[in-house]
Every structure is written in C-alpha cells, then in structure tokens.
Amino acid sequence: MAALLTCAKTASLDVGSVYAWETEGETGNILIGPEGSVARPCTLEGIALGDMFLDKNVGNVENPDPDPKLRRAFLIAASVIFQEGERQGQLPDKITRTYW
C-alpha cells in the first residue's frame, strides 16, 4: 500500500528552516538546522520538541520518540527533505512524495 508525504517550508529562521509535514494521518513540523544536516521535531515557530533528532551524516535517529507512528513519520519526512535538498542543491520549498 502506498502512502503520500507532503512537506512545505513554512519559515526560514536563524535556527534553520521549518517544514510542515503530513503523512499516514500524522502531522507535524520539522526543523532543518541552518547547515542543512540535522532535523528535529519542532513547533511552527521553530522551537525544538523533545530530544529526538536525525543527523544525516550519521544516519540514525537519536533519542527516538516512544510513539512508533510519530518516529516513523519523522524519519520519513526528514529523509525526504534531506534527499530532495541533495538533489536540488538547496533545501526545497515544497515536496510531495509517494512511498511504500
């Protein structure tokens, strides 16, 4: 069964870029740090939520959230943003991706 992920950049701040994402009935915001390699769940204002983060240079989720649906959705959103950023040479403004 395929699922759809949508992400859109909602803010560019000193602390990084904030993206609103939605997939598999889960929604949230993700902060991509100013260097473009660290992702964290965040508020719409870019304030980090909890301790979970993904460093694309390491490739592992650190301090994973205990909710498996949220953890999976975060990982998918962060991975897609990072992949699209590498493909375009900059962080994208909007992404829609189908995955399994």
Side-chain angles (χ1 to χ4, degrees):
M1 179 178 188
L4 181 68
L5 167 75
T6 58
C7 293
K9 188 185 293 186
T10 58
S12 293
L13 309 169
D14 290 340
V15 294
S17 297
V18 177
Y19 286 83
W21 58 263
E22 180 177 358
T23 186
E24 298 181 328
E26 298 288 327
T27 61
N29 297 294
I30 193 167
L31 175 67
I32 305 295
E35 70 289 336
S37 65
V38 176
R40 297 181 182 281
C42 70
T43 65
L44 191 58
E45 296 80 22
I47 299 167
L49 297 172
D51 296 324
M52 182 170 56
F53 71 95
L54 173 66
D55 183 335
K56 78 174 185 179
N57 298 318
V58 177
N60 291 326
V61 173
E62 300 290 328
N63 306 315
D65 191 284
D67 179 348
K69 283 185 169 183
L70 181 60
R71 187 172 58 242
R72 174 178 157 75
F74 167 78
L75 180 59
I76 290 167
S79 297
V80 167
I81 294 168
F82 287 150
Q83 289 170 358
E84 200 61 25
E86 286 184 14
R87 189 180 76 73
Q88 293 184 22
Q90 64 185 19
L91 289 175
D93 289 331
K94 191 171 187 178
I95 306 165
T96 300
R97 178 90 45 97
T98 302
Y99 64 94
W100 290 264

